[in-house]
Amino acid sequence: VVTTRKAVSVGGLLTAAAVLCVCGVSIVIANPLLDVGACGTNSKTVPWPVWVAFVTAGVVAFGLGSLLGHWRDLVNEIEEEAYPGSLTADAGLRADERRRRRAETVRLFLAVALTLLTGLLAYETWAVWNGSPWWAITDFVRCASNAAMWQTLVASTALLFLAGHWLWHPKRGART
Amino acid sequence: VTPWIRPAIMILALLVIVVLLALILLDVRAELTGKRTIGQHIQRWARRYVVLSSGIVFVLGALLAHFFWQP
């Protein structure tokens, strides 16, 4: 059953996907023309008032993602968690096994993601602190934000939208 | 200007976009087939580990402020 909430959720996600596709195509097309003259180690941030746009868009996207997360349809989650009364012992065991496998997958994904994040942060700290011969992550991001400004703005906004959508939400009881 | 900058920017940007697109499409597929979405998996984890998820949000915010704001 397609509810209004589900339609809004899917519509929002597909819109985000379409915007990201436009960004990707424009990056590929405009790549040979990018002005990368300002790039290098210790590169500068985007100028005033562009950085205000980055910060404001990020905060607004985080808030919007959080609001959409509050409003999201939770029917499929609740249905998956519920044990139907007519469930046989065998089917119950299979359901438990499915949940255990799913929980292991989520744990593995989180462990890999958090390890990757820690590694990247360690590299960034080392590169910024020591003045590494290799570029710090900051240099890549600042280079991209200067050379491909609106694409970087869209990508950072999309990241914060997803962070707000997934990580900032009320307790389930508050919205059901 | 070193010659690898333009391809490096393109590859990094496309990598971020492809990962986000994959997550979005998997989310939509799960939503349409009535299964729990990736977002719901992460939300469930974030509900259980509030301090850790708040920490990730804090780190993400600090990083973006450092990238785009700090001189």
Side-chain angles (χ1 to χ4, degrees):
Chain A
V1 180
V2 179
T3 60
T4 311
R5 287 177 182 229
K6 193 173 274 190
V8 169
S9 183
V10 170
L13 287 168
L14 289 178
T15 307
V19 172
L20 282 170
C21 284
V22 172
C23 262
V25 171
S26 79
I27 283 270
V28 172
I29 292 172
N31 193 257
L33 307 172
L34 289 181
D35 177 14
V36 290
C39 295
T41 49
N42 299 317
S43 50
K44 290 183 178 167
T45 50
V46 283
W48 159 270
V50 181
W51 64 260
V52 178
F54 272 85
V55 174
T56 311
V59 172
V60 170
F62 188 87
L64 274 177
S66 162
L67 278 177
L68 197 64
H70 288 211
W71 204 62
R72 195 164 193 173
D73 192 354
L74 289 171
V75 171
N76 50 356
E77 186 177 5
I78 292 163
E79 277 175 357
E80 270 197 25
E81 280 181 10
Y83 279 106
S86 59
L87 208 61
T88 60
D90 192 35
L93 283 176
R94 278 203 303 274
D96 281 341
E97 178 63 19
R98 267 203 309 276
R99 282 176 197 175
R100 194 184 58 75
R101 275 206 306 268
R102 194 182 303 134
E104 278 175 1
T105 309
V106 172
R107 273 203 294 272
L108 183 69
F109 167 77
L110 283 168
V112 169
L114 291 175
T115 307
L116 195 64
L117 187 66
T118 307
L120 288 173
L121 278 175
Y123 171 74
E124 168 73 3
T125 308
W126 172 75
V128 169
W129 190 263
N130 278 338
S132 151
W134 299 315
W135 284 24
I137 298 166
T138 306
D139 298 322
F140 282 103
V141 176
R142 288 185 178 178
C143 175
S145 62
N146 280 301
M149 204 172 279
W150 73 264
Q151 291 96 334
T152 313
L153 177 64
V154 170
S156 73
T157 307
L159 264 178
L160 279 166
F161 175 83
L162 284 178
H165 191 50
W166 287 346
L167 296 174
W168 202 270
H169 52 85
K171 288 182 177 169
R172 188 182 303 166
R175 55 180 171 161
T176 51
Chain B
V1 180
T2 42
W4 51 266
I5 293 177
R6 285 195 183 91
I9 289 179
M10 188 169 74
I11 290 167
L12 282 175
L14 289 180
L15 193 67
V16 171
I17 288 171
V18 166
V19 169
L20 285 177
L21 275 177
L23 286 174
I24 288 173
L25 292 179
L26 284 172
D27 229 27
V28 169
R29 182 170 164 262
E31 188 91 77
L32 293 177
T33 52
K35 294 198 172 128
R36 189 181 295 168
T37 63
I38 294 173
Q40 284 168 340
H41 279 298
I42 298 176
Q43 281 184 342
R44 189 183 168 88
W45 173 83
R47 262 200 304 267
R48 193 171 292 172
Y49 302 101
V50 177
V51 175
L52 202 50
S53 60
S54 306
I56 291 175
V57 170
F58 175 78
V59 169
L60 194 61
L63 271 178
L64 288 169
H66 166 66
F67 290 153
F68 301 124
W69 198 351
Q70 188 182 9

mmCIF file of all heavy atoms in Angstrom, chain A residues 50-83:
data_model
loop_
_atom_site.group_PDB
_atom_site.id
_atom_site.type_symbol
_atom_site.label_atom_id
_atom_site.label_comp_id
_atom_site.label_asym_id
_atom_site.label_seq_id
_atom_site.Cartn_x
_atom_site.Cartn_y
_atom_site.Cartn_z
ATOM 1 N N VAL A 50 30.091 33.290 0.102
ATOM 2 C CA VAL A 50 29.768 31.910 -0.325
ATOM 3 C C VAL A 50 29.807 30.955 0.859
ATOM 4 O O VAL A 50 28.984 30.043 0.962
ATOM 5 C CB VAL A 50 30.745 31.454 -1.439
ATOM 6 C CG1 VAL A 50 30.407 30.060 -1.906
ATOM 7 C CG2 VAL A 50 30.707 32.421 -2.597
ATOM 8 N N TRP A 51 30.762 31.154 1.775
ATOM 9 C CA TRP A 51 30.832 30.225 2.910
ATOM 10 C C TRP A 51 29.562 30.299 3.758
ATOM 11 O O TRP A 51 29.159 29.317 4.377
ATOM 12 C CB TRP A 51 32.099 30.428 3.741
ATOM 13 C CG TRP A 51 32.277 31.755 4.442
ATOM 14 C CD1 TRP A 51 33.048 32.794 4.023
ATOM 15 C CD2 TRP A 51 31.699 32.169 5.683
ATOM 16 N NE1 TRP A 51 32.980 33.839 4.918
ATOM 17 C CE2 TRP A 51 32.164 33.484 5.955
ATOM 18 C CE3 TRP A 51 30.838 31.575 6.595
ATOM 19 C CZ2 TRP A 51 31.788 34.193 7.099
ATOM 20 C CZ3 TRP A 51 30.474 32.284 7.741
ATOM 21 C CH2 TRP A 51 30.940 33.577 7.982
ATOM 22 N N VAL A 52 28.927 31.514 3.766
ATOM 23 C CA VAL A 52 27.657 31.627 4.513
ATOM 24 C C VAL A 52 26.610 30.712 3.869
ATOM 25 O O VAL A 52 25.833 30.043 4.559
ATOM 26 C CB VAL A 52 27.164 33.098 4.531
ATOM 27 C CG1 VAL A 52 25.838 33.212 5.264
ATOM 28 C CG2 VAL A 52 28.195 33.990 5.173
ATOM 29 N N ALA A 53 26.623 30.677 2.514
ATOM 30 C CA ALA A 53 25.678 29.803 1.807
ATOM 31 C C ALA A 53 25.941 28.344 2.159
ATOM 32 O O ALA A 53 25.001 27.565 2.387
ATOM 33 C CB ALA A 53 25.805 30.020 0.301
ATOM 34 N N PHE A 54 27.215 27.943 2.228
ATOM 35 C CA PHE A 54 27.559 26.553 2.583
ATOM 36 C C PHE A 54 27.047 26.210 3.986
ATOM 37 O O PHE A 54 26.404 25.176 4.195
ATOM 38 C CB PHE A 54 29.086 26.352 2.531
ATOM 39 C CG PHE A 54 29.596 25.949 1.178
ATOM 40 C CD1 PHE A 54 29.879 26.891 0.212
ATOM 41 C CD2 PHE A 54 29.787 24.617 0.871
ATOM 42 C CE1 PHE A 54 30.355 26.522 -1.038
ATOM 43 C CE2 PHE A 54 30.264 24.227 -0.379
ATOM 44 C CZ PHE A 54 30.543 25.187 -1.329
ATOM 45 N N VAL A 55 27.348 27.109 4.940
ATOM 46 C CA VAL A 55 26.967 26.835 6.332
ATOM 47 C C VAL A 55 25.444 26.835 6.472
ATOM 48 O O VAL A 55 24.848 25.916 7.064
ATOM 49 C CB VAL A 55 27.613 27.876 7.276
ATOM 50 C CG1 VAL A 55 27.101 27.699 8.699
ATOM 51 C CG2 VAL A 55 29.126 27.742 7.252
ATOM 52 N N THR A 56 24.784 27.868 5.893
ATOM 53 C CA THR A 56 23.322 27.968 6.021
ATOM 54 C C THR A 56 22.632 26.782 5.352
ATOM 55 O O THR A 56 21.726 26.172 5.941
ATOM 56 C CB THR A 56 22.822 29.277 5.375
ATOM 57 O OG1 THR A 56 23.624 30.347 5.854
ATOM 58 C CG2 THR A 56 21.367 29.539 5.696
ATOM 59 N N ALA A 57 23.082 26.440 4.125
ATOM 60 C CA ALA A 57 22.456 25.315 3.408
ATOM 61 C C ALA A 57 22.641 24.022 4.206
ATOM 62 O O ALA A 57 21.710 23.203 4.281
ATOM 63 C CB ALA A 57 23.071 25.180 2.024
ATOM 64 N N GLY A 58 23.812 23.847 4.815
ATOM 65 C CA GLY A 58 24.064 22.637 5.598
ATOM 66 C C GLY A 58 23.141 22.534 6.796
ATOM 67 O O GLY A 58 22.534 21.487 7.039
ATOM 68 N N VAL A 59 23.002 23.650 7.538
ATOM 69 C CA VAL A 59 22.152 23.635 8.736
ATOM 70 C C VAL A 59 20.681 23.415 8.347
ATOM 71 O O VAL A 59 19.966 22.606 8.965
ATOM 72 C CB VAL A 59 22.327 24.951 9.536
ATOM 73 C CG1 VAL A 59 21.323 25.034 10.671
ATOM 74 C CG2 VAL A 59 23.740 25.052 10.080
ATOM 75 N N VAL A 60 20.244 24.108 7.280
ATOM 76 C CA VAL A 60 18.846 23.959 6.840
ATOM 77 C C VAL A 60 18.592 22.524 6.366
ATOM 78 O O VAL A 60 17.558 21.924 6.691
ATOM 79 C CB VAL A 60 18.523 24.984 5.720
ATOM 80 C CG1 VAL A 60 17.180 24.690 5.075
ATOM 81 C CG2 VAL A 60 18.536 26.400 6.276
ATOM 82 N N ALA A 61 19.543 21.966 5.592
ATOM 83 C CA ALA A 61 19.369 20.589 5.087
ATOM 84 C C ALA A 61 19.314 19.595 6.239
ATOM 85 O O ALA A 61 18.514 18.658 6.220
ATOM 86 C CB ALA A 61 20.514 20.236 4.144
ATOM 87 N N PHE A 62 20.149 19.799 7.244
ATOM 88 C CA PHE A 62 20.137 18.910 8.416
ATOM 89 C C PHE A 62 18.764 18.958 9.093
ATOM 90 O O PHE A 62 18.175 17.928 9.427
ATOM 91 C CB PHE A 62 21.235 19.346 9.392
ATOM 92 C CG PHE A 62 21.432 18.404 10.538
ATOM 93 C CD1 PHE A 62 22.286 17.320 10.418
ATOM 94 C CD2 PHE A 62 20.761 18.586 11.733
ATOM 95 C CE1 PHE A 62 22.462 16.437 11.469
ATOM 96 C CE2 PHE A 62 20.937 17.713 12.786
ATOM 97 C CZ PHE A 62 21.790 16.640 12.657
ATOM 98 N N GLY A 63 18.232 20.205 9.263
ATOM 99 C CA GLY A 63 16.914 20.365 9.888
ATOM 100 C C GLY A 63 15.815 19.720 9.059
ATOM 101 O O GLY A 63 14.933 19.040 9.592
ATOM 102 N N LEU A 64 15.885 19.910 7.722
ATOM 103 C CA LEU A 64 14.856 19.329 6.840
ATOM 104 C C LEU A 64 14.910 17.800 6.874
ATOM 105 O O LEU A 64 13.865 17.135 6.938
ATOM 106 C CB LEU A 64 15.091 19.795 5.401
ATOM 107 C CG LEU A 64 14.479 21.143 5.009
ATOM 108 C CD1 LEU A 64 14.855 21.484 3.576
ATOM 109 C CD2 LEU A 64 12.966 21.117 5.165
ATOM 110 N N GLY A 65 16.136 17.264 6.838
ATOM 111 C CA GLY A 65 16.293 15.810 6.904
ATOM 112 C C GLY A 65 15.723 15.253 8.190
ATOM 113 O O GLY A 65 15.049 14.228 8.206
ATOM 114 N N SER A 66 15.971 15.978 9.294
ATOM 115 C CA SER A 66 15.446 15.555 10.590
ATOM 116 C C SER A 66 13.919 15.582 10.590
ATOM 117 O O SER A 66 13.261 14.643 11.046
ATOM 118 C CB SER A 66 16.024 16.484 11.653
ATOM 119 O OG SER A 66 15.279 16.422 12.814
ATOM 120 N N LEU A 67 13.345 16.666 10.019
ATOM 121 C CA LEU A 67 11.878 16.776 9.975
ATOM 122 C C LEU A 67 11.269 15.648 9.148
ATOM 123 O O LEU A 67 10.259 15.049 9.532
ATOM 124 C CB LEU A 67 11.481 18.121 9.360
ATOM 125 C CG LEU A 67 11.486 19.326 10.298
ATOM 126 C CD1 LEU A 67 11.141 20.593 9.532
ATOM 127 C CD2 LEU A 67 10.489 19.118 11.429
ATOM 128 N N LEU A 68 11.892 15.350 7.998
ATOM 129 C CA LEU A 68 11.376 14.275 7.141
ATOM 130 C C LEU A 68 11.489 12.925 7.856
ATOM 131 O O LEU A 68 10.621 12.063 7.709
ATOM 132 C CB LEU A 68 12.148 14.253 5.818
ATOM 133 C CG LEU A 68 11.490 13.481 4.683
ATOM 134 C CD1 LEU A 68 10.180 14.119 4.267
ATOM 135 C CD2 LEU A 68 12.412 13.391 3.478
ATOM 136 N N GLY A 69 12.553 12.765 8.644
ATOM 137 C CA GLY A 69 12.716 11.538 9.432
ATOM 138 C C GLY A 69 11.612 11.378 10.464
ATOM 139 O O GLY A 69 11.131 10.281 10.718
ATOM 140 N N HIS A 70 11.158 12.512 11.060
ATOM 141 C CA HIS A 70 10.060 12.463 12.039
ATOM 142 C C HIS A 70 8.775 11.979 11.375
ATOM 143 O O HIS A 70 7.960 11.321 11.978
ATOM 144 C CB HIS A 70 9.775 13.866 12.582
ATOM 145 C CG HIS A 70 10.828 14.376 13.506
ATOM 146 N ND1 HIS A 70 10.558 15.234 14.543
ATOM 147 C CD2 HIS A 70 12.153 14.159 13.552
ATOM 148 C CE1 HIS A 70 11.686 15.514 15.168
ATOM 149 N NE2 HIS A 70 12.657 14.877 14.583
ATOM 150 N N TRP A 71 8.639 12.363 10.091
ATOM 151 C CA TRP A 71 7.359 12.155 9.418
ATOM 152 C C TRP A 71 7.306 10.831 8.668
ATOM 153 O O TRP A 71 6.290 10.439 8.155
ATOM 154 C CB TRP A 71 7.154 13.317 8.431
ATOM 155 C CG TRP A 71 5.721 13.547 8.108
ATOM 156 C CD1 TRP A 71 4.740 13.891 8.963
ATOM 157 C CD2 TRP A 71 5.119 13.425 6.815
ATOM 158 N NE1 TRP A 71 3.554 14.004 8.295
ATOM 159 C CE2 TRP A 71 3.756 13.733 6.974
ATOM 160 C CE3 TRP A 71 5.594 13.107 5.549
ATOM 161 C CZ2 TRP A 71 2.870 13.725 5.914
ATOM 162 C CZ3 TRP A 71 4.697 13.102 4.491
ATOM 163 C CH2 TRP A 71 3.351 13.407 4.681
ATOM 164 N N ARG A 72 8.442 10.120 8.657
ATOM 165 C CA ARG A 72 8.549 8.941 7.803
ATOM 166 C C ARG A 72 7.580 7.821 8.196
ATOM 167 O O ARG A 72 7.272 7.643 9.358
ATOM 168 C CB ARG A 72 9.978 8.412 7.859
ATOM 169 C CG ARG A 72 10.281 7.456 6.764
ATOM 170 C CD ARG A 72 11.758 7.267 6.622
ATOM 171 N NE ARG A 72 12.008 6.579 5.361
ATOM 172 C CZ ARG A 72 13.207 6.372 4.863
ATOM 173 N NH1 ARG A 72 14.254 6.820 5.473
ATOM 174 N NH2 ARG A 72 13.358 5.738 3.734
ATOM 175 N N ASP A 73 7.166 7.094 7.186
ATOM 176 C CA ASP A 73 6.258 5.969 7.396
ATOM 177 C C ASP A 73 7.010 4.818 8.057
ATOM 178 O O ASP A 73 8.002 4.337 7.538
ATOM 179 C CB ASP A 73 5.738 5.512 6.026
ATOM 180 C CG ASP A 73 4.587 4.556 6.164
ATOM 181 O OD1 ASP A 73 4.290 4.176 7.304
ATOM 182 O OD2 ASP A 73 3.989 4.206 5.144
ATOM 183 N N LEU A 74 6.523 4.382 9.222
ATOM 184 C CA LEU A 74 7.226 3.328 9.957
ATOM 185 C C LEU A 74 6.512 1.981 9.882
ATOM 186 O O LEU A 74 6.873 1.056 10.577
ATOM 187 C CB LEU A 74 7.345 3.723 11.433
ATOM 188 C CG LEU A 74 8.313 4.860 11.725
ATOM 189 C CD1 LEU A 74 8.177 5.296 13.159
ATOM 190 C CD2 LEU A 74 9.721 4.404 11.451
ATOM 191 N N VAL A 75 5.483 1.893 8.991
ATOM 192 C CA VAL A 75 4.658 0.690 8.978
ATOM 193 C C VAL A 75 5.495 -0.557 8.711
ATOM 194 O O VAL A 75 5.382 -1.558 9.414
ATOM 195 C CB VAL A 75 3.544 0.830 7.921
ATOM 196 C CG1 VAL A 75 2.815 -0.492 7.748
ATOM 197 C CG2 VAL A 75 2.579 1.906 8.347
ATOM 198 N N ASN A 76 6.411 -0.480 7.684
ATOM 199 C CA ASN A 76 7.172 -1.687 7.345
ATOM 200 C C ASN A 76 8.091 -2.112 8.489
ATOM 201 O O ASN A 76 8.297 -3.287 8.728
ATOM 202 C CB ASN A 76 7.964 -1.517 6.034
ATOM 203 C CG ASN A 76 8.785 -0.265 6.006
ATOM 204 O OD1 ASN A 76 8.721 0.531 6.924
ATOM 205 N ND2 ASN A 76 9.550 -0.077 4.951
ATOM 206 N N GLU A 77 8.633 -1.122 9.242
ATOM 207 C CA GLU A 77 9.502 -1.463 10.372
ATOM 208 C C GLU A 77 8.697 -2.156 11.463
ATOM 209 O O GLU A 77 9.104 -3.172 12.014
ATOM 210 C CB GLU A 77 10.150 -0.191 10.925
ATOM 211 C CG GLU A 77 11.173 -0.480 11.985
ATOM 212 C CD GLU A 77 11.862 0.781 12.490
ATOM 213 O OE1 GLU A 77 11.482 1.881 12.076
ATOM 214 O OE2 GLU A 77 12.766 0.646 13.309
ATOM 215 N N ILE A 78 7.524 -1.595 11.754
ATOM 216 C CA ILE A 78 6.698 -2.169 12.825
ATOM 217 C C ILE A 78 6.205 -3.561 12.423
ATOM 218 O O ILE A 78 6.224 -4.496 13.216
ATOM 219 C CB ILE A 78 5.517 -1.227 13.134
ATOM 220 C CG1 ILE A 78 6.069 0.052 13.765
ATOM 221 C CG2 ILE A 78 4.518 -1.885 14.061
ATOM 222 C CD1 ILE A 78 5.104 1.204 13.760
ATOM 223 N N GLU A 79 5.821 -3.711 11.127
ATOM 224 C CA GLU A 79 5.343 -5.012 10.657
ATOM 225 C C GLU A 79 6.441 -6.067 10.751
ATOM 226 O O GLU A 79 6.213 -7.209 11.111
ATOM 227 C CB GLU A 79 4.874 -4.904 9.201
ATOM 228 C CG GLU A 79 3.450 -4.392 9.098
ATOM 229 C CD GLU A 79 3.033 -4.172 7.658
ATOM 230 O OE1 GLU A 79 3.872 -4.369 6.761
ATOM 231 O OE2 GLU A 79 1.876 -3.781 7.451
ATOM 232 N N GLU A 80 7.686 -5.658 10.437
ATOM 233 C CA GLU A 80 8.792 -6.620 10.497
ATOM 234 C C GLU A 80 9.069 -7.077 11.911
ATOM 235 O O GLU A 80 9.480 -8.193 12.158
ATOM 236 C CB GLU A 80 10.056 -5.978 9.922
ATOM 237 C CG GLU A 80 10.200 -6.207 8.438
ATOM 238 C CD GLU A 80 11.618 -5.928 7.968
ATOM 239 O OE1 GLU A 80 12.548 -6.021 8.780
ATOM 240 O OE2 GLU A 80 11.765 -5.630 6.800
ATOM 241 N N GLU A 81 8.858 -6.160 12.873
ATOM 242 C CA GLU A 81 9.173 -6.489 14.260
ATOM 243 C C GLU A 81 8.109 -7.357 14.909
ATOM 244 O O GLU A 81 8.382 -8.086 15.843
ATOM 245 C CB GLU A 81 9.337 -5.201 15.070
ATOM 246 C CG GLU A 81 10.701 -4.584 14.851
ATOM 247 C CD GLU A 81 10.893 -3.332 15.660
ATOM 248 O OE1 GLU A 81 10.046 -3.043 16.527
ATOM 249 O OE2 GLU A 81 11.878 -2.643 15.420
ATOM 250 N N ALA A 82 6.882 -7.235 14.402
ATOM 251 C CA ALA A 82 5.775 -7.932 15.055
ATOM 252 C C ALA A 82 5.803 -9.424 14.726
ATOM 253 O O ALA A 82 6.100 -9.826 13.605
ATOM 254 C CB ALA A 82 4.461 -7.325 14.581
ATOM 255 N N TYR A 83 5.522 -10.254 15.708
ATOM 256 C CA TYR A 83 5.333 -11.688 15.490
ATOM 257 C C TYR A 83 3.840 -11.926 15.294
ATOM 258 O O TYR A 83 3.071 -11.708 16.221
ATOM 259 C CB TYR A 83 5.777 -12.482 16.716
ATOM 260 C CG TYR A 83 7.250 -12.731 16.829
ATOM 261 C CD1 TYR A 83 8.013 -12.032 17.743
ATOM 262 C CD2 TYR A 83 7.862 -13.684 16.017
ATOM 263 C CE1 TYR A 83 9.370 -12.270 17.856
ATOM 264 C CE2 TYR A 83 9.222 -13.925 16.124
ATOM 265 C CZ TYR A 83 9.969 -13.218 17.048
ATOM 266 O OH TYR A 83 11.301 -13.452 17.161
#
